[in-house]
Amino acid sequence: MIEKLEYFIALAREKHFARAAEEIGISQPTLSAAIRQLEDQLGVMLVVRGSRFQGLTPEGQRVLEWARRIVGDTRTMREEMRAARKGLSGHIRIAAIPTTLAMVPRITAPFQEKHPDVTFSIVSTTSIKILGLLENLEIDAGLTYLENEPLGRVTSVPLLHEHYCLITARGNTFSDRETVTWQEAGSIRLCLLTADMQNRRIINRHFAEAGVTVEPSLEANSMIVLFSHVRTGRWSSIMPRNVAKSFGFPDEISIVSLVDPEPHHTVGLVATHREPFTPLVSALLHEARVLAEKGMD
């Protein structure tokens, strides 16, 4: 039953029998047979069938909620028993928005020092995708914004407040200033994160509050790409101060505080709320709380 529920979650996630089968490493006929067996066991139709996957039935949607809960609890049980036998070990999957990537080592490094048998995988993605990955049990935790957009039922640990700055090469407009207004920043050539990123939506909102509509001449989903273009001197960018400092900008780059308005936005670690947490997630949340107590503004 657990295996079939895991197959069902994969199908709901991929919305395609062949892709789901490939993801979990079985043949498509095996997947189709497992879903039919699950339907027979439960006595309801789970999938709207046709020439291709057409979605879940209402009963299928409800079973999906149960499947995520049961599979999640089963994994927690297995991890607890493994930890009881061998101590804390295993693999932690973390997804992070681009502006938090520089923060990740401040959690993973002390964690790995305490628990050397734990490994990590880190991916960069959008805040919306992080919530979907958590819901589908594809990651264990995420680093994302804790405000602005709904998070759903998660446990969160606030880690820092983002304060925004104009990042520009020395000699460019405003590079010799201590502060610059959002309205002024909207008048120069900018490179910004892509529109699917919450950071970009936040920046757009603050420009709108200043009465400015900005059309950047370059967009990317990577802070490294933005920084590389700022270094050419042809573009400026807007980044959280903590991100800008993490790059160790050379003397030829200026970091100018943005004012009017002077907003801040909280980012932190999130994990799907469940009791009990897996031993790995519980330890990760503890490490995040230790970091939060030190303060990272």
Side-chain angles (χ1 to χ4, degrees), residues 185-246:
S187 67
I188 60 178
R189 183 188 290 115
L190 293 173
C191 57
L192 300 173
L193 287 175
T194 50
D196 60 333
M197 296 290 177
Q198 190 175 164
N199 171 267
R200 174 63 182 284
R201 295 195 290 275
I202 289 171
I203 288 173
N204 285 350
R205 186 169 75 245
H206 294 316
F207 272 125
E209 291 169 356
V212 179
T213 300
V214 171
E215 294 293 339
S217 61
L218 185 145
E219 296 178 321
N221 64 359
S222 163
M223 302 302 291
I224 293 293
V225 172
L226 298 185
F227 169 58
S228 299
H229 283 81
V230 169
R231 293 196 67 175
T232 69
R234 292 187 57 81
W235 284 270
S236 300
S237 188
I238 293 173
M239 298 181 184
R241 180 176 291 276
N242 62 291
V243 175
K245 287 183 175 180
S246 73

Side-chain angles (χ1 to χ4, degrees), residues 124-191:
S124 175
T125 188
T126 68
S127 57
I128 292 174
K129 287 184 178 178
I130 286 173
L131 297 181
L133 292 170
L134 281 173
E135 186 178 49
N136 285 316
L137 309 177
E138 294 179 88
I139 59 172
D140 301 294
L143 282 161
T144 187
Y145 290 99
L146 304 185
E147 307 163 334
N148 310 306
E149 298 178 0
L151 287 176
R153 194 166 181 263
V154 300
T155 295
S156 61
V157 180
L159 292 174
L160 65 85
H161 299 298
E162 286 190 343
H163 301 271
Y164 295 93
C165 299
L166 177 71
I167 312 302
T168 191
R170 293 200 182 275
N172 281 350
T173 306
F174 308 129
S175 65
D176 59 347
R177 300 260 295 267
E178 291 187 2
T179 64
V180 61
T181 68
W182 285 83
Q183 187 175 48
E184 290 173 324
S187 67
I188 60 178
R189 183 188 290 115
L190 293 173
C191 57

